[in-house]
């Protein structure tokens, strides 16, 4: 999990920025303790972390508000004693995903195995295209349902629903599709075929050539794709107009 750090509560009267850092650090320690030890009561967390129960409750309230942990009744095995069961706090799926896990390494290992066993780079390209094509089913519905001038925005919303935190904005002679998060950035760093397949599908969905300007996988802060403005289709002149223009262009000239 991000910001896992110091064990100290921020002292009273600390500067605001230091207080914020201390709060985040202690909050991360509370969540980490639940990850390491399982669902825990306030008293158990206070004892393990050397904090007051009041401090633990305050951090738990914030973690619950952020959907990182959830409260539930403690499971009782055997005869239940009198009184209400103690409340314990457990990590949610969102909270568990916030901690560093081995999914990235698993993805890279799987892609490398595909590359070595099933045809080298061509096999990785085939996998990347199949993967994004399956994802693109929802993207296609969103784009096709939108007005032509709002298709990039519709694609951005569909990407955001898949965790890419995407936005669309105007740019000189076109638009920019910006993805502020990439769930596969670490794998794409070693296998750029994932980015290339994504760019191809964007071009197909939007019906125009697009250009990838930056990617998180290459160390940029945002994945940025440029979508040029499609010039309005020009109508072919009618035959009668063509004949008229041809006559006008030769007016005053001696025939050959």
């Amino acid at each position: 999990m991000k910001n896992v750090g110091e064990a100290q509560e921020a002292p009273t009267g600390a500067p605001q920025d230091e207080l914020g850092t201390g709060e985040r650090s202690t909050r991360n320690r509370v969540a980490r303790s639940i990850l390491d030890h399982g669902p825990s009561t306030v008293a158990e967390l206070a004892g393990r972390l050397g904090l007051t129960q009041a401090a633990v409750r305050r951090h738990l309230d914030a973690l619950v508000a952020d959907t990182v942990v959830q409260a539930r009744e403690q499971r009782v095995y055997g005869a239940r004693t009198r009184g209400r069961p103690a409340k314990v706090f457990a990590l949610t799926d969102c909270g568990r995903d916030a901690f560093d896990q081995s999914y990235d390494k698993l993805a890279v290992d799987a892609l490398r195995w595909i590359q070595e066993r099933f045809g080298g780079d061509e096999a990785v390209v085939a996998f990347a295209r199949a993967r994004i094509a399956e994802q693109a089913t929802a993207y296609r519905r969103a784009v096709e349902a939108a007005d032509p001038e709002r298709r990039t925005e519709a694609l951005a919303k569909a990407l955001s629903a898949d965790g890419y935190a995407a936005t669309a904005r105007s740019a000189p002679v076109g638009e920019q599709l910006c993805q502020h998060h990439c769930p596969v950035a670490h794998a794409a760093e070693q296998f750029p075929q994932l980015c290339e397949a994504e760019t191809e599908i964007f071009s197909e969905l939007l019906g125009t050539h697009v250009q990838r300007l930056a990617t998180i996988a290459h160390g940029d802060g945002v994945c940025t794709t440029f979508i040029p403005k499609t010039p309005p289709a020009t109508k072919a002149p009618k035959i009668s107009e063509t004949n008229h223009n041809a006559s006008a262009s030769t007016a005053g000239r001696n025939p050959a």
Side-chain angles (χ1 to χ4, degrees), residues 164-184:
Y164 288 88
T167 57
R169 65 188 184 193
S170 296
V173 300
E175 295 177 288
Q176 283 187 355
L177 177 66
C178 300
Q179 295 157 263
H180 301 272
H181 176 65
C182 177
V184 297

Side-chain angles (χ1 to χ4, degrees), residues 58-197:
R58 177 164 54 81
H59 290 301
L60 286 170
D61 286 344
L63 291 167
V64 168
D66 290 341
T67 69
V68 173
V69 304
Q70 59 186 353
R72 66 186 188 205
E73 287 189 352
Q74 187 175 33
R75 292 178 181 176
V76 177
Y77 299 93
R80 174 173 284 188
T81 58
R82 283 189 169 186
R84 298 179 61 185
K87 183 185 290 186
V88 295
F89 293 85
L91 286 178
T92 63
D93 289 341
C94 174
R96 195 172 295 278
D97 287 345
F99 286 90
D100 294 330
Q101 300 195 38
S102 60
Y103 298 144
D104 289 332
K105 184 178 184 303
L106 176 64
V108 169
D109 288 346
L111 285 168
R112 186 170 292 115
W113 188 83
I114 290 172
Q115 185 182 50
E116 293 173 355
R117 300 290 183 92
F118 293 101
D121 289 342
E122 290 183 7
V124 176
V125 169
F127 169 82
R129 286 175 173 165
R131 171 186 171 274
I132 194 64
E134 185 174 349
Q135 281 184 268
T137 301
Y139 306 161
R140 191 181 306 280
R141 286 196 297 265
V143 170
E144 291 178 350
D147 294 333
E149 65 276 9
R150 303 193 66 131
R151 285 180 177 170
T152 303
E153 180 183 349
L155 177 57
K157 289 181 179 178
L159 286 165
S160 292
D162 263 356
Y164 288 88
T167 57
R169 65 188 184 193
S170 296
V173 300
E175 295 177 288
Q176 283 187 355
L177 177 66
C178 300
Q179 295 157 263
H180 301 272
H181 176 65
C182 177
V184 297
H186 293 294
E189 183 178 352
Q190 298 188 47
F191 293 94
Q193 294 93 333
L194 295 170
C195 296
E196 292 162 7

